[in-house]
Amino acid sequence: MKRGDTLNTNRIALLHTLFSIINENNLEDSNYILAKYFLDYYHHLSQLSIYEIAEDCYVSRASVRRFCQSIGYKNFIDLKNEFSKYDDQQGYYQKHASQENYREKLTEEINNMIKELDKRMDTDEIEKIVDKIYASKSTVFLTSDSSNGAIRDFQKAMIFNDKLVYIVSELYSDNLLLGQLSEDDFLITVSNTGYFALEVKEIVKACRAYSVLITVNRNPCFKDWFDKIYYLSGRDRSTEGGNVYGKYGISYMLDVFYSEYTRKYGTNQEREK
């Protein structure tokens, strides 16, 4: 299956897709050139035409169209319209980061978050999650790209305990692994604000694995298709686009998971001692 065939419902991963292309492709590759151009002219994309892009990038208009289709869009206009949706996020993050005394406020937010998570995670639910990871044939994290760094660190650390965990992100809509999960497997959806959880609703409902959600969004509808919900905060923070729970809280939580797993199960070599 081609990459473009799997991304039509994954547009929240657009920026990640463009960054992945420039991070991985050859500098002379036309996909690299176009991805870099779209990122370089992010603020002016709505003013550009396919003719200008083709001329500036020394490619044909057909190449521009094929590139757009390869990342899940029907044409350049479709991609341009989608790209404009990120402008609201830009305004929020710039406003958030330009606050007076930002460092002090950020430190206070992180400290308060750690105190809250420390209380919320002082429970036997942590052990239940760790036991589920250990007992499951396959443990899969379903996540948007914003959470990927912390989860990838957890994935790499777990291999030292002889436990392979999987991550599914921007290619989730047609991912073969998700369709093959059974009652013996464990699906962990990480969606800080809850919007990704809404995006993958039908996939989670169709999945036979035991399924949990980690989020700050207290939308009651999540209880209809997840077996268990773990809230990172005692109140709904889904409208706080830059909340520290998504960026720092998930890392903290996964470190606690890893510590508990290592303490209880360790590696095969340690268990044999």
Side-chain angles (χ1 to χ4, degrees), residues 171-189:
L171 300 180
Y172 62 82
S173 61
D174 288 317
N175 186 274
L176 295 177
L177 176 60
L178 292 176
Q180 294 173 355
L181 295 181
S182 70
E183 292 84 356
D184 297 324
D185 300 312
F186 188 20
L187 180 65
I188 305 173
T189 300

Side-chain angles (χ1 to χ4, degrees), residues 133 136-143 148 151-152 154-156 158-159 163-169 175 177-178 180-181 185-188 190:
I133 292 174
S136 295
K137 182 179 178 182
S138 295
T139 294
V140 181
F141 282 88
L142 179 59
T143 177
N148 244 338
I151 300 174
R152 287 190 185 280
F154 179 78
Q155 181 186 45
K156 287 185 287 187
M158 286 296 289
I159 204 67
K163 185 66 177 182
L164 175 62
V165 300
Y166 301 87
I167 300 174
V168 176
S169 55
N175 186 274
L177 176 60
L178 292 176
Q180 294 173 355
L181 295 181
D185 300 312
F186 188 20
L187 180 65
I188 305 173
V190 179

Side-chain angles (χ1 to χ4, degrees), residues 8-273:
N8 290 323
T9 62
N10 294 272
R11 295 180 177 179
I12 60 173
L14 172 58
L15 286 177
H16 172 77
T17 299
L18 294 176
F19 281 123
S20 293
I21 291 171
I22 67 169
N23 287 341
E24 298 172 4
N25 282 348
N26 187 290
L27 298 182
E28 298 179 353
D29 186 271
S30 61
N31 285 342
Y32 172 92
I33 294 170
L34 286 166
K36 184 177 184 301
Y37 187 88
F38 287 149
L39 290 169
D40 283 342
Y41 289 90
Y42 168 80
H43 297 292
H44 309 287
L45 193 61
S46 62
Q47 305 167 21
L48 298 176
S49 70
I50 192 172
Y51 298 94
E52 292 175 290
I53 295 172
E55 182 178 353
D56 290 346
C57 295
Y58 301 101
V59 299
S60 66
R61 283 173 288 161
S63 294
V64 177
R65 284 193 292 268
R66 284 195 296 269
F67 173 80
C68 294
Q69 291 168 356
S70 74
I71 61 173
Y73 298 89
K74 294 180 181 179
N75 48 48
F76 170 66
I77 296 298
D78 196 23
L79 181 146
K80 184 163 67 171
N81 290 339
E82 184 65 26
F83 214 77
S84 66
K85 296 180 181 179
Y86 288 90
D87 290 340
D88 291 339
Q89 296 183 33
Q90 173 197 341
Y92 172 81
Y93 284 107
Q94 288 187 342
K95 181 179 179 181
H96 181 73
S98 61
Q99 298 178 78
E100 291 292 333
N101 303 315
Y102 176 74
R103 179 180 58 79
E104 293 88 343
K105 291 179 180 178
L106 178 62
T107 300
E108 182 181 6
E109 289 179 9
I110 292 175
N111 287 336
N112 290 336
M113 176 206 69
I114 295 298
K115 290 178 182 178
E116 180 178 12
L117 282 176
D118 183 50
K119 293 179 181 178
R120 296 187 67 79
M121 300 185 75
D122 185 17
T123 169
D124 60 358
E125 287 297 324
I126 301 301
E127 186 173 4
K128 290 180 181 178
I129 292 174
V130 164
D131 290 344
K132 190 69 177 176
I133 292 174
Y134 176 75
S136 295
K137 182 179 178 182
S138 295
T139 294
V140 181
F141 282 88
L142 179 59
T143 177
S144 65
D145 299 299
S146 61
S147 304
N148 244 338
I151 300 174
R152 287 190 185 280
D153 286 343
F154 179 78
Q155 181 186 45
K156 287 185 287 187
M158 286 296 289
I159 204 67
F160 297 121
N161 284 327
D162 296 328
K163 185 66 177 182
L164 175 62
V165 300
Y166 301 87
I167 300 174
V168 176
S169 55
E170 77 268 19
L171 300 180
Y172 62 82
S173 61
D174 288 317
N175 186 274
L176 295 177
L177 176 60
L178 292 176
Q180 294 173 355
L181 295 181
S182 70
E183 292 84 356
D184 297 324
D185 300 312
F186 188 20
L187 180 65
I188 305 173
T189 300
V190 179
S191 178
N192 177 38
T193 61
Y195 300 119
F196 179 75
L198 292 171
E199 181 81 10
V200 297
K201 171 183 176 180
E202 296 305 321
I203 293 173
V204 173
K205 289 175 66 176
C207 183
R208 294 182 296 160
Y210 184 80
S211 179
V212 303
L213 170 65
I214 298 171
T215 186
V216 298
N217 191 319
R218 290 183 169 267
N219 189 332
C221 74
F222 291 143
K223 296 179 181 179
D224 294 336
W225 64 87
F226 289 99
D227 296 303
K228 184 79 175 181
I229 303 174
Y230 294 102
Y231 299 106
L232 292 169
S233 177
R235 65 182 177 86
D236 192 313
R237 297 177 181 270
S238 59
T239 59
E240 302 174 14
N243 73 74
V244 296
Y245 288 80
K247 191 170 186 178
Y248 305 101
I250 291 173
S251 294
Y252 177 90
M253 174 198 66
L254 292 176
D255 282 346
V256 173
F257 287 175
Y258 180 70
S259 175
E260 178 68 14
Y261 191 99
T262 301
R263 182 193 63 78
K264 189 168 184 179
Y265 296 110
T267 64
N268 283 332
Q269 290 85 351
E270 291 173 341
R271 289 195 296 270
E272 291 170 356
K273 291 180 180 179

